[in-house]
Amino acid sequence: MRTKIRRQARRMKIIVYQETLFDYKEHLWTFLGAFVGIGIIGLLNRHRLPTDAPLLIGSFGASSVLVYGVINSPLAQPRNLLGGHVLSAFIGVTLYRCMPQELWLAAALAVSLSIVGMQITKTLHPPGGATALIAVIGSPQLKALGYSYVFMPVLSGAVVLLLVALVFNNLSPTRHYPTNKHWYRIWQRRYYVKALRRLTNS
């Protein structure tokens, strides 16, 4: 019994040490990436180019935590960042247009359906839930965008965050992003053929 307790205590010490380890280089790159990514979107929002629509939404802050701070997470990969935001934005706008008088129901359905949609399409990105919710409970100006919300600010902002992540997450020799250098091939026909083969063989 004492041996088990000592082993558990040792494991806890290692976990606490690893979780509280201060790596100033890692934190510096995280800071720079997040600062530049959000800063660029913020500047574009200030000048409202090329539209009067708001370009900076709250879910981009959560995305920054993932794509600059937890870059090896499956949830932070480019396909998840882009696909999760775009799909969730589309679902959010659709639900708001279907039931504008019942915001509580539209909000609940938008978030829950966006989560399931991201799971099905393998684009799970937690900030996507916020993107769907913003489409329902956002400002009147934002709601007036309709499906334009999917492209501006959602897709455009996600692309900016991705481009900055591709630069800053690869400047350091200890950081590599994305984990799969050929992530974009997911959209190619060959991927679907392989996926169908896997399904038929299982």
Side-chain angles (χ1 to χ4, degrees):
M1 184 68 176
R2 287 181 180 176
T3 307
K4 286 183 179 179
I5 292 173
R6 284 174 185 166
R7 283 178 187 167
Q8 287 286 42
R10 262 190 243 118
R11 285 178 189 163
M12 288 301 295
K13 284 180 182 178
I14 292 170
I15 291 170
V16 170
Y17 173 75
Q18 289 176 338
E19 292 299 318
T20 57
L21 189 64
F22 186 84
D23 185 345
Y24 74 92
K25 288 182 181 177
E26 185 73 14
H27 301 321
L28 176 63
W29 287 115
T30 298
F31 169 81
L32 289 174
F35 179 83
V36 173
I38 294 296
I40 289 173
I41 299 173
L43 282 173
L44 291 173
N45 185 67
R46 181 180 178 183
H47 298 290
R48 302 288 170 88
L49 299 173
T51 176
D52 288 335
L55 302 178
L56 192 61
I57 56 174
S59 54
F60 289 158
S63 289
S64 296
V65 174
L66 288 169
V67 298
Y68 305 119
V70 198
I71 65 174
N72 293 321
S73 168
L75 307 177
Q77 300 311 302
R79 182 167 184 261
N80 298 69
L81 172 66
L82 299 176
H85 274 301
V86 169
L87 178 63
S88 299
F90 179 82
I91 291 172
V93 172
T94 301
L95 266 297
Y96 174 72
R97 289 170 74 93
C98 288
M99 46 189 74
Q101 305 304 321
E102 299 292 340
L103 289 185
W104 70 272
L105 183 57
L109 283 172
V111 173
S112 55
L113 287 175
S114 68
I115 295 170
V116 173
M118 288 187 286
Q119 286 178 326
I120 291 170
T121 57
K122 309 294 184 198
T123 58
L124 194 61
H125 187 65
T131 298
L133 186 60
I134 290 167
V136 177
I137 65 167
S139 66
Q141 183 185 10
L142 190 142
K143 291 176 183 176
L145 294 175
Y147 286 106
S148 297
Y149 169 74
V150 177
F151 303 100
M152 184 79 72
V154 174
L155 179 60
S156 59
V159 168
V160 170
L161 293 178
L162 175 59
L163 292 176
V164 173
L166 290 172
V167 173
F168 283 87
N169 290 341
N170 292 296
L171 286 176
S172 168
T174 59
R175 290 165 68 97
H176 305 286
Y177 179 85
T179 54
N180 177 11
K181 295 296 181 185
H182 303 290
W183 62 272
Y184 53 87
R185 290 184 180 174
I186 202 76
W187 309 112
Q188 293 180 358
R189 186 172 172 270
R190 270 184 304 179
Y191 170 80
Y192 295 107
V193 173
K194 288 179 182 177
L196 284 171
R197 284 175 184 167
R198 280 198 299 269
L199 286 171
T200 52
N201 292 333
S202 59

